[in-house]
């Protein structure tokens, strides 16, 4: 009988899931789905090979119970299409592992308490991840659950990169640079050997989606990244400003009387492409818009990306390859072209046709830097790590150790 596992991503406005079969050794994707529209009209949908196979409105819509309602709908559907005994584990994307979790972890009460303890470091994300873990624990008691951390990939950053120039008493409270999008970067690091020669060791990966960041990798390990203590730092994003002079916040508080709550909303929800354009955070819509504000928003996005790529090249002391991933990185030939044309001084040159076709390799043969597109696959990484821990647990039990 085929076994299955789940890769789960419980966020503030949606939950996403992917179901993998594990009989082929490595996990293979069977279905994807989500419940989107928390706070409005939540919709539960399931897809098989890109085709929608189910779409159902969820009647229930109260903020604290939505993760559970969404996962209840998911399990009701799932146990209609697979035997419930064949579901061996659920892996969760967890945004923050603090300085503690540098690898995926099997979740028990103690691990969950520690994960919850990092909620104050990522108040807008972590509580939703925790709610997802609790919901699955309630709905399928005894199911093996695994946490896969977005911070973990950056465990290899050197101290001079992750330390903020603040007094020790502040640093000792956990205030340091952590970095995020680690599951996406791990996916890229794993795919690089397929695309690059062994000597091409200095790579910058650009995860350009609604959230956006860069990661500098040496030999497939993170040495620097643009997100920092929180996912607010670095690039211009859909609704986040990216790097901002901390003095702006003091000014807004002291002169304009903004509260911490006001600032949180400003920084996470109404800045970035949305704040600049005054219209939308959707890059595709901005690219189609004739409005000067839309053009300025795109100019700022591209300029900041190029600037930060420059900073990461300094960290790496050179560059062998640049990789694009996520919504904008994978699908916008125009944004890739605009970023790469500003890196012409470095010897970056694109093959126009390959770029237009979103090919795996989009640099021209004479480019001094290889430019690649690698599709994001965070769920695949969660599934791989979850399966590894499920197998390890099985071995432990077979050897008589406690589960
Ligand atoms: P998230 O960070 O929410 O997972 P995605 O990785 O799906 O986001 O990226 C969303 C972004 O990708 C949006 O700004 C969207 O407009 C943009 N995008 C998707 N397709 C295209 C396209 N064909 N051209 C330009 N931008 C695109």
């Amino acid at each position: 009988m085929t076994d299955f596992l789940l890769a789960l991503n419980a966020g503030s406005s949606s939950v996403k899931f992917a179901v993998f079969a594990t009989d082929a050794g490595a996990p293979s994707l069977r279905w994807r789905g989500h419940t989107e529209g928390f706070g409005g009209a939540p919709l539960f949908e399931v897809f098989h090979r890109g085709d929608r196979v189910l779409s159902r409105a969820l009647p229930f819509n109260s903020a604290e119970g939505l993760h559970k309602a969404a996962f209840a709908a998911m399990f009701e559907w799932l146990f209609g299409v697979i035997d419930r005994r064949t579901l061996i584990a659920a892996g969760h994307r967890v945004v923050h592992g603090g300085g503690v979790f540098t690898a995926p972890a099997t979740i028990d009460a103690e691990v969950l308490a520690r994960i919850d303890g990092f909620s104050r470091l990522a108040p807008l994300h972590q509580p939703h991840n925790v709610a997802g873990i609790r919901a699955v624990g309630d709905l399928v008691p005894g199911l093996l659950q695994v946490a896969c951390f977005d911070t973990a990939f950056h465990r290899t950053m050197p101290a001079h990169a992750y330390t903020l120039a603040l007094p020790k008493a502040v640093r000792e409270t956990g205030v340091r640079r952590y970095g995020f999008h680690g599951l996406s970067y791990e996916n890229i690091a794993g795919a690089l050997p397929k695309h690059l020669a062994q000597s091409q060791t200095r790579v910058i990966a650009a995860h350009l989606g609604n959230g956006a960041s860069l990661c500098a990798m040496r030999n497939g390990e993170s040495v620097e990244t643009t997100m920092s203590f929180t996912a607010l730092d670095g690039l211009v994003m859909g609704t986040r400003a990216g790097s901002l002079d901390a003095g702006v916040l003091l000014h807004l508080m002291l002169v304009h009387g903004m509260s911490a709550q006001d600032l949180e909303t400003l920084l996470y929800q109404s800045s970035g492409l949305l704040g600049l354009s005054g219209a939308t955070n959707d890059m595709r819509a901005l690219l189609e818009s004739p409005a000067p504000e839309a053009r300025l928003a795109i100019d700022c996005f591209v300029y900041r990306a190029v600037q930060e790529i420059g900073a990461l090249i300094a960290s790496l002391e050179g560059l062998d390859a640049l990789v694009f991933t996520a919504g904008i990185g994978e699908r916008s030939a125009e944004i890739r072209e605009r970023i790469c044309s500003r890196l012409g001084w470095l010897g970056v040159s694109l093959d126009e046709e390959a770029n237009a076709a979103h090919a795996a390799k989009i640099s021209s043969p004479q480019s001094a830097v290889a430019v690649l597109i690698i599709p994001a696959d965070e769920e695949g990484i969660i599934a791989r790590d979850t399966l590894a821990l499920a197998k390890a647990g099985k071995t432990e039990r077979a050897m008589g150790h406690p589960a």
Side-chain angles (χ1 to χ4, degrees), residues 16 207-211 273 281-285 287 326-328 331-332:
K16 296 182 185 147
H207 179 110
L208 307 180
N210 231 330
L273 296 174
N281 60 334
D282 185 327
M283 179 59 90
R284 203 169 8 184
L287 286 165
I328 299 169
R331 290 185 214 113
S332 179

Side-chain angles (χ1 to χ4, degrees), residues 25-342:
S28 73
L29 180 68
R30 285 291 175 87
W31 296 276
R32 278 183 193 285
H34 56 233
T35 293
E36 289 187 331
F38 283 21
L43 190 63
F44 171 68
E45 295 186 298
V46 183
F47 300 84
H48 179 65
R49 296 197 173 140
D51 293 331
R52 188 167 44 211
V53 293
L54 184 70
S55 179
R56 171 158 93 73
L58 290 192
F60 186 82
N61 197 6
S62 92
E64 65 287 2
L66 254 174
H67 294 96
K68 200 159 177 183
F71 282 139
M74 176 191 74
F75 283 121
E76 191 189 326
W77 159 77
L78 184 62
F79 294 148
V81 291
I82 70 165
D83 182 330
R84 99 184 253 144
R85 289 166 303 176
T86 60
L87 182 66
I88 57 167
H92 294 261
R93 179 182 187 180
V94 175
V95 160
H96 222 301
V100 176
F101 293 108
T102 54
T106 302
I107 300 172
D108 58 17
E110 191 191 327
V111 167
L112 182 56
R114 292 184 114 172
I115 291 172
D116 200 13
F118 298 130
S119 288
R120 67 196 165 85
L121 295 179
L124 298 189
H125 296 99
Q126 196 88 340
H128 302 291
N129 303 156
V130 170
I133 294 168
R134 291 216 168 97
V136 171
D138 288 348
L139 291 161
V140 189
L143 181 66
L144 174 74
Q145 296 199 71
V146 171
C148 301
F149 300 95
D150 253 323
T151 44
F153 185 70
H154 303 293
R155 64 186 169 267
T156 44
M157 276 204 291
H160 59 253
Y162 70 68
T163 305
L164 289 167
L166 292 164
K168 195 171 182 187
V170 178
R171 284 184 275 123
E172 280 179 348
T173 64
V175 178
R176 51 161 277 188
R177 304 183 68 242
Y178 291 100
F180 299 90
H181 286 145
L183 300 172
S184 174
Y185 292 131
E186 199 170 332
N187 171 54
I188 286 171
L192 283 175
K194 274 185 259 159
H195 300 279
L196 298 178
Q198 248 182 357
S199 58
Q200 293 175 296
T201 58
R202 297 161 303 178
V203 174
I204 293 176
H207 179 110
L208 307 180
N210 231 330
S213 72
L214 306 175
C215 177
M217 298 179 201
R218 190 183 283 279
N219 298 319
E221 292 188 343
S222 173
V223 294
E224 182 54 279
T225 188
T226 55
M227 283 181 170
S228 176
F229 176 60
T230 67
L232 284 175
D233 210 359
L235 305 183
V236 173
M237 303 178 221
T239 58
R240 292 169 250 168
S243 303
L244 202 60
D245 175 0
V248 171
L249 307 186
L250 292 175
H251 170 82
L252 293 174
M253 286 194 293
L254 298 173
V255 178
H256 294 277
M258 285 179 82
S259 65
Q261 186 61 53
D262 294 337
L263 287 178
E264 190 174 273
T265 306
L266 176 82
L267 295 174
Y268 278 98
Q269 285 163 32
S270 41
S271 300
L273 296 174
L274 175 63
L276 283 164
S277 68
T280 178
N281 60 334
D282 185 327
M283 179 59 90
R284 203 169 8 184
L286 290 173
L287 286 165
E288 284 162 9
S289 166
E293 293 84 358
R295 273 211 299 279
L296 178 65
I298 298 168
D299 289 348
C300 290
F301 180 90
V302 168
Y303 177 68
R304 180 78 62 76
V306 171
Q307 253 190 329
E308 300 262 0
I309 287 170
L312 264 53
I313 291 172
S315 298
L316 287 169
E317 299 177 26
L319 186 65
D320 299 310
L322 175 63
V323 181
F324 289 98
T325 194
I328 299 169
E330 289 168 37
R331 290 185 214 113
S332 179
E334 184 174 343
I335 295 295
R336 290 191 301 262
E337 199 279 321
R338 287 188 57 177
I339 290 173
C340 289
S341 71
R342 293 193 74 136

